[in-house]
Amino acid sequence: REINVENAAQFMYVLPIVVKAFEVEITPANRIVAQVGEALVFTCNATGCASPSFSWRIQTDNPLGGTVTNHGTHSTLTISAVNIENAHDYLCTVCCEHEKKEKSFKIEVYSFPGDPVIEISTSLAAGQQATVTCKIPNVYPSDRLEVLLKKGDHILHEQYFYEDHSTNAETKTVTYSFNLTTEDIGKEISCVAKLPIDDMDFEPKERVTSQKLNANFGPKNTIIISSPSNLAMEGESLNLTCVTDSNPPPQIVWRRQVADKIVQCASENNVLAIPQAHFTDSGLYICEVANMLTNKTEKATVEIVIQAPPKNTTLSVFPSNAVKQGERVAISCTSTGVPAVQITLRKKIGDATTTLETQDGKYTIERVLLKDAGTYECVSSNELGEESQRVVLNVKVPPQNITVLIHPSENIKEGANVTITCSTYSNPPSKMILKKVHPEKEIILSSVNGTFILYNVTKSDTGTYLLDVFNEVGNNIKMIEIAVGGVENPDQMMLVVIAFSCVTAIAVPVVAVLIYVSRKAKINGSYSLVKALRLKV
């Protein structure tokens, strides 16, 4: 089928293409009022251009004073802290292919950051001259500053700074003196500072500070109030408040008496806080107040007692808890607590407990004996509880009071057995060695449980034997003569008891018990001295 092109054209629709015009816009726009120190961010935005290029400048060709960041179709100028040098006309230039557009804005700067500060010099008393000083901090532009000094509703003085053309933010001072009357006491002195720049939109444009005209006095009637009281338990919080009558408010220094010294406390106001009080916080606290205008000082004191059960209890032995018999021993117990602690020193041996007489928690043994060994306990107590410490005193003693049994006798016939048994007391336990004196060499043998056995002796076993009993503290030696070949009497047993005296007497078993043991006991682990000698000779 044929289509008529002319007829078809009548039904064709052409869609319109909208092309956005190249434009530049800045936000915030036009005129900006900023206080010194504020941060400002300006955005230069381009529309109708896919790849614009940006540039910023001040029309006076001064440094920008800020940071430029480009983000595709917009660019930002950031001034982190405005200063007076930023008070200029700024220009943002945008280029799009062969077309260029510019937008400008203006930054106006002021500084009026704080209220006036009033100082009234000299001691205020009726009939004396009072000088009032008003300081307005960091003002700009100062040539627009107006200051009024008022007493109540009455204007004392007004001052304008029209001729001041400072180029920086400066503190401006206004001073005025007048004679003080009794009617003036209690009235307010006001300093009114105004920065009336009508064509700049900022607030506040007026700042006021007031101070009463009070007569200076004091300090007097100074006291310390302790809360909850001046008697507290350890761990509680305590507040000391220094109260005084003074105008102006005085300087306050807290001190504390420690032993014979006065130390300053870390507080510069009238309240001294003691959180979680420790018993070492007890003592005399001093509050010293001083009025610099009246040149007067006054002190108040309070005694603080922090109660605590016994603690830090220590029990020490000098020179050591392991000593040699005969040494001097000092046992000392110390403890702290409030109320004052009572120290008791006890000695325990088994189930028996003996309370010792001490002096300031010290107990001295001039010459320590074995009987002084044992467990010593220090008990520290007061009304709030008790604490104890223990120490074991070990007294070392060399071998002494040695008992030697020779069975059947030191005079025996060949072929018989000879048993030599030795017992002693010492601390720590002793070791024993039997030595036979030989012209060429010395033969040394150890005992088994203090017993030596010579089997089937011969005449060659005749001779002198040395029994050496020793421990880490000392030793004792017993000499024994054995004669082989004499008359044998099997029913006879000869007991030889050799007692050695050492530094301190030690309890020894009775001889009858040793005789009984030597007759009845079966010696385990015995060995033959004869056989050993025959192997070595």
Side-chain angles (χ1 to χ4, degrees):
R1 183 180 177 183
E2 293 183 2
I3 299 175
N4 191 325
V5 178
E6 294 180 0
N7 293 334
Q10 296 177 2
F11 299 97
M12 292 180 65
Y13 177 76
V14 179
L15 293 174
I17 299 175
V18 179
V19 178
K20 207 169 187 179
F22 173 42
E23 296 292 342
V24 175
E25 182 182 12
I26 290 182
T27 56
N30 302 328
R31 184 167 171 266
I32 307 301
V33 176
Q35 181 159 225
V36 171
E38 286 185 12
L40 294 177
V41 178
F42 299 91
T43 301
C44 185
N45 189 52
T47 57
C49 181
S51 300
S53 62
F54 297 89
S55 64
W56 297 79
R57 65 185 177 87
I58 297 177
Q59 292 185 357
T60 58
D61 292 330
N62 285 352
L64 277 176
T67 303
V68 174
T69 308
N70 295 325
H71 308 274
T73 59
H74 69 276
S75 176
T76 59
L77 171 63
T78 302
I79 302 175
S80 58
V82 171
N83 57 49
I84 296 172
E85 287 74 18
N86 294 125
H88 292 290
D89 290 323
Y90 284 74
L91 195 66
C92 174
T93 302
V94 185
C95 295
C96 183
E97 295 181 356
H98 303 294
E99 189 174 358
K100 179 173 76 171
K101 289 197 173 184
E102 294 181 332
K103 283 286 183 178
S104 65
F105 61 93
K106 185 175 184 179
I107 298 178
E108 296 188 75
V109 179
Y110 76 98
S111 180
F112 197 40
D115 292 337
V117 177
I118 295 179
E119 297 175 356
I120 302 179
S121 63
T122 76
S123 176
L124 293 184
Q128 294 184 351
Q129 190 177 67
T131 300
V132 179
T133 301
C134 179
K135 296 181 179 180
I136 302 89
N138 300 324
V139 178
Y140 179 83
S142 55
D143 60 355
R144 306 293 291 273
L145 178 65
E146 301 176 1
V147 179
L148 300 179
L149 289 178
K150 300 171 66 177
K151 180 174 66 177
D153 295 329
H154 174 66
I155 296 177
L156 293 174
H157 178 70
E158 48 189 326
Q159 185 169 335
Y160 303 92
F161 292 81
Y162 299 144
E163 303 300 324
D164 190 328
H165 300 292
S166 300
T167 57
N168 296 311
E170 296 177 350
T171 297
K172 300 302 177 182
T173 302
V174 175
T175 301
Y176 181 74
S177 298
F178 63 98
N179 289 326
L180 189 67
T181 66
T182 54
E183 291 78 13
D184 292 329
I185 303 299
K187 289 185 178 180
E188 282 193 344
I189 291 291
S190 299
C191 178
V192 182
K194 300 178 182 181
L195 198 62
I197 306 175
D198 296 334
D199 56 347
M200 292 179 67
D201 185 16
F202 66 88
E203 290 293 339
K205 293 185 177 181
E206 180 178 309
R207 292 182 177 273
V208 181
T209 297
S210 299
Q211 182 175 315
K212 284 188 177 180
L213 286 170
N214 294 327
N216 297 326
F217 59 86
K220 59 183 180 180
N221 304 323
T222 305
I223 59 171
I224 298 176
I225 300 174
S226 56
S227 176
S229 74
N230 61 342
L231 185 66
M233 290 295 297
E234 189 174 48
E236 293 180 347
S237 294
L238 190 67
N239 286 333
L240 305 182
T241 305
C242 187
V243 180
T244 188
D245 294 331
S246 177
N247 189 50
Q251 293 182 357
I252 297 178
V253 177
W254 286 95
R255 293 186 174 91
R256 177 183 167 211
Q257 184 170 340
V258 180
D260 297 331
K261 297 180 179 179
I262 302 294
V263 296
Q264 188 165 330
C265 302
S267 179
E268 297 180 355
N269 55 39
N270 68 319
V271 178
L272 177 63
I274 308 175
Q276 296 182 335
H278 192 265
F279 76 94
T280 55
D281 293 319
S282 299
L284 183 70
Y285 286 80
I286 305 165
C287 169
E288 182 177 305
V289 292
N291 189 324
M292 298 296 102
L293 295 184
T294 63
N295 200 27
K296 292 182 180 179
T297 61
E298 193 171 79
K299 295 180 182 179
T301 62
V302 65
E303 186 75 30
I304 297 298
V305 177
I306 308 298
Q307 294 184 312
K311 57 172 51 183
N312 302 330
T313 303
T314 60
L315 181 58
S316 59
V317 180
F318 181 83
S320 166
N321 61 344
V323 295
K324 294 180 181 180
Q325 183 174 258
E327 289 185 335
R328 185 179 187 274
V329 174
I331 301 174
S332 176
C333 180
T334 60
S335 185
T336 54
V338 179
V341 298
Q342 180 178 353
I343 291 178
T344 303
L345 186 63
R346 301 169 182 162
K347 179 187 175 187
K348 291 187 175 184
I349 301 179
D351 296 331
T353 300
T354 304
T355 300
L356 304 175
E357 185 175 341
T358 62
Q359 184 173 5
D360 297 329
K362 296 180 180 178
Y363 179 72
T364 302
I365 306 172
E366 292 297 335
R367 294 179 60 85
V368 69
L369 303 176
L370 186 60
K371 68 182 181 66
D372 296 315
T375 299
Y376 288 79
E377 180 183 40
C378 169
V379 179
S380 173
S381 60
N382 65 9
E383 301 169 8
L384 303 177
E386 69 175 39
E387 187 178 58
S388 63
Q389 292 289 337
R390 293 185 179 186
V391 67
V392 176
L393 178 63
N394 182 18
V395 179
K396 297 182 179 182
V397 181
Q400 60 183 32
N401 294 348
I402 299 174
T403 300
V404 178
L405 296 177
I406 303 176
H407 179 75
S409 169
E410 72 267 31
N411 297 309
I412 56 175
K413 284 189 175 184
E414 284 185 299
N417 297 336
V418 178
T419 300
I420 302 173
T421 304
C422 177
S423 63
T424 183
Y425 272 153
S426 64
N427 184 38
S430 298
K431 294 181 180 180
M432 301 179 188
I433 294 177
L434 183 64
K435 308 175 184 178
K436 183 181 179 183
V437 178
H438 193 275
E440 296 180 0
K441 58 182 177 179
E442 189 178 60
I443 299 174
I444 300 174
L445 294 173
S446 299
S447 73
V448 176
N449 298 326
T451 301
F452 304 87
I453 300 177
L454 285 67
Y455 293 98
N456 300 319
V457 296
T458 65
K459 289 184 179 181
S460 63
D461 294 320
T462 297
T464 302
Y465 291 81
L466 299 179
L467 181 60
D468 189 358
V469 184
F470 61 92
N471 64 8
E472 64 181 68
V473 186
N475 74 310
N476 272 321
I477 297 177
K478 160 63 181 165
M479 186 169 66
I480 303 170
E481 294 289 341
I482 300 293
V484 179
V487 178
E488 180 183 8
N489 186 358
D491 295 327
Q492 180 184 4
M493 174 181 182
M494 183 172 185
L495 172 66
V496 179
V497 180
I498 299 93
F500 293 87
S501 61
C502 293
V503 178
T504 305
I506 301 178
V508 297
V510 295
V511 173
V513 175
L514 294 175
I515 296 173
Y516 177 81
V517 172
S518 66
R519 287 177 175 176
K520 298 297 183 179
K522 293 182 178 179
I523 307 302
N524 295 323
S526 300
Y527 55 87
S528 173
L529 178 60
V530 175
K531 294 177 181 179
L533 292 172
R534 286 173 180 171
L535 290 173
K536 294 183 179 182
V537 175

